[in-house]
Amino acid sequence: MKKCVGSLMIVLLILGLGLLVGCQEPNESDIVKKARLVGQENIELKKQVKKQDQAIQEQKDLLEQCRQEVVKGQEESTDTGAKMLEIASKAATEAENLRIENEKLKAHIRELESKAPKP
């Protein structure tokens, strides 16, 4: 009976070890599968990060272009404003000159009328 119990123990021990070894193989393959999935996910995430970086760079480039256009517009506006002021100044000077000439002509007309014989 001792031999049977000993043999039974050895058989159970071998079966137990066999089960442990058998269970570890799927766990290792599961680990490998998970590692592959994580690796693929990392690759996809890197691609997404790269696309986002490119999109951010494009937005930065567009922002810089807009800033340059704003500066150019401000410069043109300043130039236009200065030209408008110059034109207004010239117009005011010309209007003053015309007013003075008009006064002189009116005075001359009065002088001629006073010298002219009355009918």
Side-chain angles (χ1 to χ4, degrees), residues 49-76:
V49 167
K50 187 175 180 181
K51 286 180 183 178
Q52 291 299 320
D53 287 344
Q54 289 173 346
I56 289 170
Q57 188 59 45
E58 288 174 8
Q59 293 298 319
K60 285 180 180 179
D61 293 343
L62 288 173
L63 178 62
E64 183 59 32
Q65 182 181 359
C66 287
R67 284 182 180 161
Q68 289 174 356
E69 289 176 5
V70 166
V71 168
K72 183 179 177 183
Q74 288 174 340
E75 290 172 355
E76 288 175 357

Side-chain angles (χ1 to χ4, degrees), residues 22-86:
C23 290
Q24 287 179 353
E25 285 182 35
N27 285 340
E28 287 180 15
S29 68
D30 285 345
I31 292 171
V32 171
K33 287 179 185 177
K34 286 180 184 178
R36 285 184 185 156
L37 288 175
V38 168
Q40 288 175 348
E41 186 177 7
N42 284 345
I43 291 170
E44 289 299 317
L45 289 174
K46 285 179 182 179
K47 287 179 183 178
Q48 290 177 2
V49 167
K50 187 175 180 181
K51 286 180 183 178
Q52 291 299 320
D53 287 344
Q54 289 173 346
I56 289 170
Q57 188 59 45
E58 288 174 8
Q59 293 298 319
K60 285 180 180 179
D61 293 343
L62 288 173
L63 178 62
E64 183 59 32
Q65 182 181 359
C66 287
R67 284 182 180 161
Q68 289 174 356
E69 289 176 5
V70 166
V71 168
K72 183 179 177 183
Q74 288 174 340
E75 290 172 355
E76 288 175 357
S77 174
T78 302
D79 290 344
T80 302
K83 287 178 184 177
M84 293 295 286
L85 287 174
E86 183 180 334

